[in-house]
Amino acid sequence: MKKFFEEFKKFAMRGNVIDLAVGVVIGGAFGKITTSIVNDIIMPVVGMLTGGIAFEDWKIVLKEAVLDAEGAVKAAEVAIRYGNTIAIILDFIIVAFAVFCIVKAINAMHAKAEELRKKEEEEAAAEPPAPPAPPEPSAEEKLLTEIRDLLKAQK
C-alpha cells in the first residue's frame, strides 16, 4: 500500500500534472468570464432583436402546469427549454474561438523561433569568413628588412 501512495505522489508531482492543474483552474475562471459575456452582453442584445424575449424563456411546452383552486401549482409544467441550450452553445463557441486564437498565436511564435534557430544553424554551418590579409609592411619596415638582409649577406 505504501508503494502505491509513493507511486501516486511521484505521478502527482510531475511537472505536466501540475501544469494541467493550473490550466484547469485558469480554464474555469475563463469559463466564468465567457459565461458572463454571453449572459450579460450577447443574450440581452439577441433578446432585444427577438422582441424582448429572454433566451431563458424560450421553450416548447409539452404539458401546461396544473393549478388548484387557490392558484397553487398542483402539477409542474413540462417543457423543453432550448433557449438556455442556445446560450450554452454560444458560450462554447466563444471559448473555442478564444482557445483557437491562443493556440494559433503560440504556434506562430513556435514557428518564428524555429525559423530563427534554423537560420542560426545555417549561419554556423556556413564556411567561416577568410581571415583578413595581413597589412602590407610600411616603408620603414621594408627598409629595415633590406638592411637586415644586406647585413646577413656581408657575414
Side-chain angles (χ1 to χ4, degrees), residues 97-154:
F97 180 73
V99 169
F100 169 76
C101 290
I102 291 169
V103 169
K104 187 169 176 72
I106 290 171
N107 287 342
M109 287 190 297
H110 282 293
K112 190 80 162 174
E114 183 67 20
E115 185 179 308
L116 288 173
R117 187 188 60 78
K118 284 183 180 180
K119 186 176 180 182
E120 288 174 357
E121 285 177 358
E122 289 172 1
E123 289 174 357
E127 293 181 29
E136 197 170 310
S138 67
E140 293 171 343
E141 288 176 341
K142 287 180 185 178
L143 185 58
L144 288 171
T145 304
E146 286 178 28
I147 293 171
R148 182 194 67 201
D149 292 342
L150 286 171
L151 288 173
K152 278 186 185 179
Q154 285 181 358

Side-chain angles (χ1 to χ4, degrees), residues 40-106:
D40 301 332
I41 296 171
I42 295 174
M43 289 307 169
V45 173
V46 172
M48 186 177 74
L49 294 174
T50 58
I53 301 172
F55 258 40
E56 294 81 24
D57 296 337
W58 289 15
K59 61 186 173 184
I60 298 172
V61 178
L62 301 175
K63 182 179 174 188
E64 293 287 337
V66 178
L67 305 176
D68 61 10
E70 298 168 1
V73 177
K74 190 174 185 181
E77 171 185 79
V78 177
I80 299 172
R81 301 181 190 285
Y82 63 92
N84 193 41
T85 303
I86 292 172
I88 291 171
I89 290 170
L90 282 174
D91 190 22
F92 170 78
I93 290 170
I94 291 170
V95 171
F97 180 73
V99 169
F100 169 76
C101 290
I102 291 169
V103 169
K104 187 169 176 72
I106 290 171

